[in-house]
Amino acid sequence: MKGRFDLVGIGMTSQRTRNRLVDRLREKGISDESVLAAVAAVPRHIFVDEALAHRAYEDTALPIGQGQTISQPFVVALMTQTLLDQPRDRVLEVGTGSGYQTAILATIGKLDRRVGKVFTVERLGALIDRARERLTAIGLRQVRFRHGDGYRGWPEEGPFDGILVTAAPRIVPEALLEQLAPGGRLVVPVGADTIQQLTVYDRTDRGIQQTTLDQVRFVPLVKGIQ
Ligand code: SAH
């Protein structure tokens, strides 16, 4: 298919290149087979600028315009694997960006239903329209997009069984904890502008339980929309 997004792939964007990325993620400790299958299935090169398409299957973050980045595949895989310690029916992503993480979640939904419906919120209108176009181009339609401030979550659609935040607040937004269903899990990088702690919040019978994972680097979660 030719058109706005080149889905055929040229050399550096081939299935073999994509499979090498999967091998790297496996070596780095990603063991969830449906996460790995989704990374193999989603064409990351259509989520980055054309000029950077040849680098799309390196395990690295890349610029996507508006001062934002598409996350490093390892971090996407780690966060998704952490969110999916059990199936999650309603999943909210905060920070749609390019839509790559959204596509990984929606693909897992298609492959083995460990994800049900995906909701995604982005504060920058220019990015969310492009993300929606990309997901439509690769046939992922079970996603609802919202141009809004993810600090507030998506109260009309909550509660959620899983929430994944791909930009970093200094402290965890109260609204996101409130929108966690019983048994629900929130995965979020929390901390300063330059380096954060990947943090997991579980809503259990005994209240919210917090676990800290690796150090990560995300762009800050910013209030208000543009
Ligand atoms: N998941 C994305 C990562 C994008 S970077 C991907 O796979 O490409 C983080 C994104 O969070 C940016 O697009 C940024 O605009 C967005 N963001 C920052 N603050 C936000 C907020 N309060 N609400 C919604 N999105 C926000």
Side-chain angles (χ1 to χ4, degrees), residues 64 68-71 76 93-102 121-124 127 148-151 166-167 219-224:
I64 55 170
Q68 307 303 321
T69 53
I70 182 172
S71 309
V76 172
E93 177 195 26
V94 174
T96 316
S98 67
Y100 179 71
Q101 170 76 73
T102 327
V121 186
E122 168 61 53
R123 65 180 291 272
L124 299 176
L127 291 183
D149 183 355
Y151 258 105
T166 66
V219 296
L221 193 72
V222 177
K223 283 190 179 149

Side-chain angles (χ1 to χ4, degrees), residues 70-134:
I70 182 172
S71 309
Q72 180 191 357
F74 172 71
V75 175
V76 172
L78 177 66
M79 289 178 81
T80 311
Q81 169 171 291
T82 303
L83 188 77
L84 296 180
D85 65 318
Q86 62 183 64
R88 305 276 172 195
D89 187 24
R90 294 171 74 80
V91 174
L92 173 68
E93 177 195 26
V94 174
T96 316
S98 67
Y100 179 71
Q101 170 76 73
T102 327
I104 293 290
L105 289 167
T107 298
I108 293 171
K110 245 179 141 170
L111 290 176
D112 66 9
R113 310 239 167 129
R114 279 169 67 220
V115 172
K117 200 155 177 51
V118 179
F119 301 82
T120 187
V121 186
E122 168 61 53
R123 65 180 291 272
L124 299 176
L127 291 183
I128 197 150
D129 291 341
R130 294 265 299 152
R132 190 189 278 116
E133 285 173 23
R134 290 180 177 114

Side-chain angles (χ1 to χ4, degrees), residues 4 19 21 35 54 70 93 130 142 154 160 163 165 177 211 216:
R4 180 119 192 230
N19 291 345
L21 172 60
V35 172
H54 66 288
I70 182 172
E93 177 195 26
R130 294 265 299 152
Q142 287 299 87
W154 191 335
F160 299 98
I163 303 179
V165 186
L177 292 175
T211 321
V216 285

